[in-house]
Amino acid sequence: MTGGGLLVAGTTSDAGKSVVTAGICRWLVRQGVKVAPFKAQNMSLNSFVTKEGAEIGRAQAMQAQACRVEPTALMNPVLLKPGGESSSQVVLLGKPVGELSARGYHGGRQQKLLGTVLDCLEQLRGTYDAVICEGAGSPAEINLRRTDIVNMGIARNAGLPVLVVGDIDRGGVFASFFGTVALLSREDQECVAGFLVNKFRGDVSLLEPGLDMLQGLTGRRTYGVLPFRHGLGIDEEDGLRVSLRGTVRESLVAPPVGEDVLRVAVCAIPLMSNFTDVDALAAEPGVVVRFVDRPEELADADLVIVPGTRGTVRAMEWLRERGLAGALVRRAAEQRPVLGICGGFQILGEHIEDDVESRRGHVEGLGILPVRVRFAREKTLTRPEGEALGECVEGYEIHHGVADVQGGTPFLDGCRVGQTWGTHWHGSLESDGFRRAFLREVAAAAGRRFVPAPDTSFAALREEQLDRLGDLIEQHADTDALWRLIESGAPRGLPFIPPGAPA
């Protein structure tokens, strides 16, 4: 018997599809429903490694956590990792299969993957009571509809009802809802069951006349109005949208335990990947995290992080062009803390041999760490465990670069020289004991009277966020009507809204 399903689409990118999907998943699992997430095709530099060694989008890993199940490649069969303005690495069922231009992918390869993603969805629906699917961008991107495998293409082929999410905080939500439906073909419109308003501020009663008029115009109801809440943007898909001047998270944290705070500056390098590595630092009371792109912004930082990137050589050139490379070299020489993660670790080394990612051959690194990197065609995808600073650590690795460590003190399969650390491990800072020990080292080197909070649990904070998402759905959506959609599909006889999609 095939389980129920729902596709959460959006009027735009960043309308809230990922968090709404996670919220529905957490609400369902709290009702005793066996549920799984699914996104047929994801474009993101923020990825995760499953236990079987498959690379998927971190948003789907977060949604799996909301479902209290282990993430698998079935939940995100196609992952596109941008390598520039017009090309992406294609990751199929967790493994890279090649590099394609946007024209090459949408020109034929994407449609050929429809059978694969439908098979994955069918396997999940055969195992779970419900599968909550996330769309991508907007379903009304009429220029891409012919080859679509993630929005209406998957909804039509799998018989999924579609819930369209709109971000009212941006404005124009009624026009966006109406226009989204009106630009779909008659057959696509039959799948669209209704709408969900996201990020509403104010008195819902003032919104209700508009929702009534929207139902009159489209024949489709609104299934809920979710209020605006700070600090719920967990595991976003795209680090490129992170403000260079903003903080990592808007959520409130407790005041510092010690007398000082620690200031962490993250270099906002091009094609930044897995920027969520610093989330655990931002969750620590007394740790202030910001993204920077100018050398003067490193001056007052107690720790500088060079994060992962999909373009190591390009990121290194960017650091040099902006004067950040020289500032990092001076900082390391002054024994001021620097941490390089994955691509950032490679940048801190002596040189790189890259015939795979940039195809630039021999490239000189910053020479801070005694490491030589050679890019292999096979991608390393592992979930390592180890020990550092006397604490147990877990992480995950996603990289083509193979590091030959020539010296220094061993550190998470990388090395440490003075106050500069380098590792390929993503996610290591989520290990609470290790994070506290690392911050104590940084504070001592920086001369700060900072004391890590003794009881901060990053896993518990993540669970709290997921429960808050589930609460939003439970308290502000018509959950009985949502369950009927999941179980029985879109209502029959929904009206056609002209003009519909062009032929």
Side-chain angles (χ1 to χ4, degrees):
M1 179 179 176
T2 298
L6 174 71
L7 177 71
V8 179
T11 56
T12 61
S13 295
D14 292 334
K17 298 183 292 292
S18 294
V19 293
V20 167
T21 299
I24 293 174
C25 287
R26 178 49 62 101
W27 159 66
L28 285 172
V29 80
R30 294 196 307 206
Q31 308 308 307
V33 177
K34 189 180 178 185
V35 59
F38 179 79
K39 186 162 186 173
Q41 172 196 294
N42 199 347
M43 177 172 278
S44 178
L45 290 171
N46 202 14
S47 58
F48 182 73
V49 179
T50 67
K51 281 190 173 179
E52 72 266 32
E55 185 180 7
I56 65 172
R58 266 201 74 104
Q60 280 60 66
M62 176 268 291
Q63 290 160 358
Q65 186 176 347
C67 297
R68 297 180 179 142
V69 299
E70 190 65 37
T72 73
L74 293 176
M75 297 172 183
N76 179 206
V78 181
L79 173 64
L80 305 178
K81 302 195 73 174
E85 295 298 321
S86 59
S87 68
S88 293
Q89 183 182 65
V90 181
V91 179
L92 179 63
L93 293 174
K95 304 296 180 184
V97 294
E99 198 91 13
L100 278 180
S101 67
R103 180 180 294 274
Y105 183 69
H106 291 288
R109 180 65 187 271
Q110 183 182 36
Q111 184 65 21
K112 292 177 182 177
L113 297 174
L114 179 61
T116 299
V117 300
L118 287 171
D119 286 345
C120 291
L121 176 57
E122 191 61 28
Q123 287 185 58
L124 290 173
R125 295 181 77 180
T127 305
Y128 292 90
D129 301 328
V131 178
I132 308 303
C133 308
E134 180 188 342
S138 162
E141 291 166 349
I142 54 179
N143 55 314
L144 302 176
R145 176 62 184 92
R146 182 177 61 84
T147 58
D148 169 49
I149 64 169
V150 65
N151 290 309
M152 302 314 298
I154 196 86
R156 283 266 300 278
N157 279 280
L160 295 172
V162 177
L163 183 69
V164 180
V165 177
D167 179 355
I168 198 170
D169 199 47
R170 293 182 172 190
V173 75
F174 291 116
S176 298
F177 281 146
F178 184 88
T180 296
V181 179
L183 280 177
L184 301 178
S185 69
R186 184 182 298 273
E187 294 79 9
D188 284 354
Q189 287 190 24
E190 289 173 358
C191 297
V192 179
F195 313 106
L196 186 77
V197 176
N198 192 28
K199 297 185 182 178
F200 180 71
R201 305 173 191 252
D203 185 345
V204 176
S205 66
L206 299 177
L207 190 66
E208 287 170 351
L211 301 179
D212 292 339
M213 285 186 273
L214 181 66
Q215 184 166 2
L217 288 165
T218 66
R220 291 158 174 86
R221 58 165 298 179
T222 297
Y223 284 78
V225 177
L226 306 185
F228 187 97
R229 290 288 186 268
H230 285 287
L232 292 180
I234 51 179
D235 289 6
E236 291 97 335
E237 291 182 348
D238 195 350
L240 299 179
R241 293 194 180 94
V242 175
S243 167
L244 299 183
R245 304 285 174 235
T247 56
V248 180
R249 292 288 175 264
E250 297 174 315
S251 53
L252 297 175
V253 294
V257 175
E259 297 180 43
D260 288 341
V261 299
L262 276 188
R263 295 172 175 83
V264 179
V266 184
C267 296
I269 56 180
L271 298 174
M272 179 170 41
S273 62
N274 291 75
F275 66 96
T276 48
D277 282 335
V278 301
D279 283 1
L281 293 180
E284 280 284 347
V287 176
V288 179
V289 179
R290 66 184 188 272
F291 290 92
V292 303
D293 63 346
R294 296 183 301 186
E296 56 267 31
E297 293 177 300
L298 305 188
D300 67 343
D302 302 306
L303 169 67
V304 174
I305 295 178
V306 187
T309 173
R310 171 79 167 86
T312 302
V313 171
R314 177 178 168 187
M316 187 151 48
E317 291 173 342
W318 181 87
L319 288 168
R320 287 188 167 119
E321 289 166 2
R322 301 191 71 90
L324 284 158
L328 286 167
V329 171
R330 290 191 297 273
R331 183 182 180 89
E334 294 165 0
Q335 298 296 306
R336 302 180 66 200
V338 177
L339 171 64
I341 302 174
C342 200
F345 168 42
Q346 297 166 8
I347 286 169
L348 298 179
E350 295 174 356
H351 68 251
I352 294 170
E353 296 290 341
D354 181 12
D355 295 318
V356 176
E357 192 175 78
S358 69
R359 298 181 175 86
R360 294 279 296 277
H362 183 92
V363 179
E364 292 297 316
L366 300 190
I368 299 172
L369 292 176
V371 176
R372 298 168 185 174
V373 177
R374 176 185 55 83
F375 272 64
R377 298 201 174 274
E378 192 75 19
K379 182 184 277 192
T380 297
L381 296 167
T382 62
R383 291 268 292 270
E385 298 179 8
E387 185 176 305
L389 304 180
E391 300 286 347
C392 295
V393 192
E394 297 180 0
Y396 57 99
E397 294 187 50
I398 306 170
H399 54 91
H400 284 280
V402 178
D404 179 14
V405 179
Q406 302 278 308
T409 303
F411 175 73
L412 299 180
D413 292 344
C415 68
R416 171 186 181 177
V417 173
Q419 295 301 324
T420 300
W421 295 265
T423 177
H424 271 133
W425 291 25
H426 293 289
S428 63
L429 293 167
E430 295 180 18
S431 298
D432 297 326
F434 166 72
R435 182 180 64 254
R436 286 192 277 269
F438 177 70
L439 289 175
R440 281 192 290 268
E441 291 250 351
V442 169
R448 298 288 185 187
R449 291 171 294 181
F450 168 85
V451 178
D455 54 355
T456 301
S457 166
F458 185 73
L461 290 171
R462 172 58 53 83
E463 279 295 303
E464 287 175 16
Q465 284 187 308
L466 292 172
D467 276 331
R468 289 173 65 198
L469 291 176
D471 292 343
L472 280 181
I473 298 299
E474 190 169 334
Q475 296 166 12
H476 300 282
D478 186 338
T479 52
D480 289 340
L482 270 182
W483 178 245
R484 286 194 295 272
L485 274 187
I486 293 166
E487 196 173 37
S488 306
R492 296 182 180 275
L494 293 168
F496 171 69
I497 309 303

